[in-house]
Each structure stands twice: as C-alpha cells, then as structure tokens.
Amino acid sequence: MAQKIAFQGEPGANSDIACKQMYPSLESVPCASFEDAFELVSSGETDLAMIPIENSIAGRVADIHLLLPHSGLQIVGEFFLPIHFDLLGIPGSTIEGATEVHSHIHALGQCRKLIREAGLKPVIAGDTAGSAREVREWNDPTKLSLAPPLAAELYGLEVLASAVEDDPSNTTRFVVLARETELPARETLPGPAVTSFVFRVRNVPSALYKALGGFATNGVNMTRLESYMVGNEFAATMFMADVEGHPEDLPLRLALEELGFFTTELWILGVYPAADHRTQRAAASN
C-alpha cells in the first residue's frame, strides 16, 4: 500500500493540496523540482508523485512530455483541482500600503486584474507557497503573496483578499505517477479510461493528418493534442495526446495500429481511470 507521495513546491502549494485531497492518508513530500519528484519515485523513496500537467488558463504546466518517456515511470491517475488564490500579507499589512506581490509566474498571470487594480509590482517566485513563506520571513508590510488558502494558515499570514483569480473556473489537471509496471488490463479498469501517449510522425507530407485519421474513423475522442520540438531540431516534432478509452477497446486498438504506420516513435505514458471531473464535464456538455 502506498505511504508517501511527492510533489513539486513547498507545503501549502496547490500540488500539496491536490495530494491531500486525492490521497488524504498519504504523507506528502515536497520537492524543489519536478525532476526531484520523479527521482523520489524512481528510487522508491516515495510511492507516487503528483505533477501538474495543464491549467485551463495558462496551458501546459510541466514538461512531462520530455521527462516521462525515459523515466521508468508511468501515469496511473489524474486529478482536477479548482485553483483559488488569496492575497496574503504579514499581520497589520494592507493592500494600499503594499508595493509588490510575489508568486509563481502562473499565479501572477492568473490574477492580473487584482495586480493591475491594486497597482502592485509582480515579482516572480519559484513557488506560490514559497512566496508566502518568504513574505513571512521578510516581515515587510509592503510585500504581499499570492498563494493558495492553505499557505496563510501554514505561515501565519493575514488574508487581505480571497479568491482573487481572474477566472473562477480556473482548474489545474494533475497526473499521478508511479514506477513503471505492465499497463493495467481492461478488466481492472471497468469504467471510463484515459490513455496518454507521445509520438513522432514520419517526415512526409500530411503525416500528422494521416496519423490522426484513425482516431476519427474509429470514433475515438482525443481530449488533448500538443506539439513540441525535440532538442534543437526544428524538423523533429513530437506530439503528446490524451484519448478516451483503453488500448484493449477495439476502436482505440485500431486507431493506435493506424497511428503506427505514420510514426517513427510511440510511447504509451499511461492508461488510467478517468477522473470524475472529466466524466461530469462531459455529461454537462451533452
């Protein structure tokens, strides 16, 4: 049974909150970088890692498409976390008396309206919760932090404004990583499943169009497709995709077979249960 789960950031970060909500019985282990979190799982020091992969506003969060294929890890789950930021300061500070606001670059980008209206100078920090800790340590009323609500409690800061994110629907999708094993059989995932993979298309005309044709003709829903460059080769493009279904499902099996004709590399990153958030959102849109 899993005992520990690693995350990137400091205690009180959104990744920490995601760990506590999805796995309340596990010990959350903070890491300075995504690579460090990967290493803790690879070495067996933790059983799992919680990694943010995309945000509904900011887009891609982690370079998991680069880190995962050769890491010896695989995706075993996903979690969607609504993102809320509070404006925090040391006791006695005020918004009117502040000049700077510190946070992760994504948090600053997701709270532009407040920053502009308050006339604050945004200062990039390595982590949202880390910026709260620094504001506490500086003990300077002119410096504020944008951080998750848990950070105020952990670092003894006052909440000057709550839920200051520009978009109330702001959500981050996390993936859960474990050491690589055989992909789960279909009978072990009786409900809706998600398959994540990366691939490189052949360098021929219309290769991507042809590679994706099998998903359309077999009725497989592709929920994510993102391209990225490999090294310094402008001609070598990789793609990361999420699709609904299990590779043993006939439609996805046929689509992956067709994909193989037009690709030079293909890695299945994981097959895992679809989160309730995904299925509820699909039901609401129908």
Side-chain angles (χ1 to χ4, degrees), residues 38-282:
F38 274 57
E39 179 58 32
L40 286 186
V41 181
S42 297
S43 66
E45 292 184 55
T46 67
D47 306 278
L48 304 170
M50 179 76 72
I51 303 295
I53 187 172
E54 57 186 327
N55 177 266
S56 59
I57 296 175
R60 187 171 72 200
V61 177
D63 288 333
I64 193 170
H65 52 287
L66 297 175
L67 297 171
L68 195 54
H70 304 290
S71 68
L73 305 180
Q74 69 185 49
I75 302 173
V76 296
E78 65 176 354
F79 184 75
F80 290 80
L81 179 71
I83 301 299
H84 301 294
F85 293 111
D86 288 352
L87 186 64
L88 310 178
I90 63 171
S93 61
T94 64
I95 298 176
E96 294 75 19
T99 59
E100 297 178 356
V101 59
H102 297 248
S103 197
H104 188 273
I105 186 170
H106 285 302
L108 295 172
Q110 293 164 26
C111 302
R112 289 191 179 95
K113 183 178 179 181
L114 168 81
I115 296 172
R116 183 175 61 252
E117 290 178 350
L120 298 172
K121 176 185 177 182
V123 181
I124 296 173
D127 178 68
T128 53
S131 73
R133 175 185 53 78
E134 291 174 335
V135 165
R136 175 72 270 187
E137 292 174 350
W138 292 327
N139 200 36
D140 182 344
T142 67
K143 301 181 188 299
L144 305 181
S145 165
L146 280 169
L150 180 59
E153 176 184 344
L154 290 175
Y155 301 108
L157 297 176
E158 288 188 353
V159 178
L160 305 183
S162 299
V164 297
E165 60 277 0
D166 294 340
D167 188 340
S169 67
N170 187 7
T171 302
T172 292
R173 175 179 174 236
F174 293 80
V175 290
V176 181
L177 307 181
R179 285 180 291 283
E180 197 169 51
T181 61
E182 290 187 8
L183 294 175
R186 191 41 162 138
E187 57 265 24
T188 67
L189 298 176
V194 177
T195 298
S196 296
F197 55 93
V198 293
F199 62 95
R200 186 202 301 250
V201 296
R202 297 183 182 279
N203 191 19
V204 296
S206 303
L208 179 60
Y209 173 79
K210 295 174 182 176
L212 298 181
F215 296 95
T217 56
N218 288 285
V220 176
N221 187 26
M222 182 171 287
T223 60
R224 183 180 191 225
L225 178 66
E226 187 170 354
S227 65
Y228 60 98
M229 306 306 295
V230 179
N232 297 318
E233 303 177 35
F234 286 96
T237 301
M238 297 286 291
F239 295 87
M240 181 174 181
D242 296 328
V243 296
E244 295 179 352
H246 189 287
E248 293 177 17
D249 297 339
L250 181 60
L252 182 52
R253 179 166 61 81
L254 294 174
L256 290 173
E257 288 177 359
E258 189 164 340
L259 176 67
F261 291 124
F262 302 102
T263 59
T264 58
E265 297 173 79
L266 172 64
W267 289 283
I268 301 293
L269 303 181
V271 180
Y272 47 94
D276 290 343
H277 176 91
R278 183 189 294 272
T279 55
Q280 290 167 1
R281 184 177 57 186

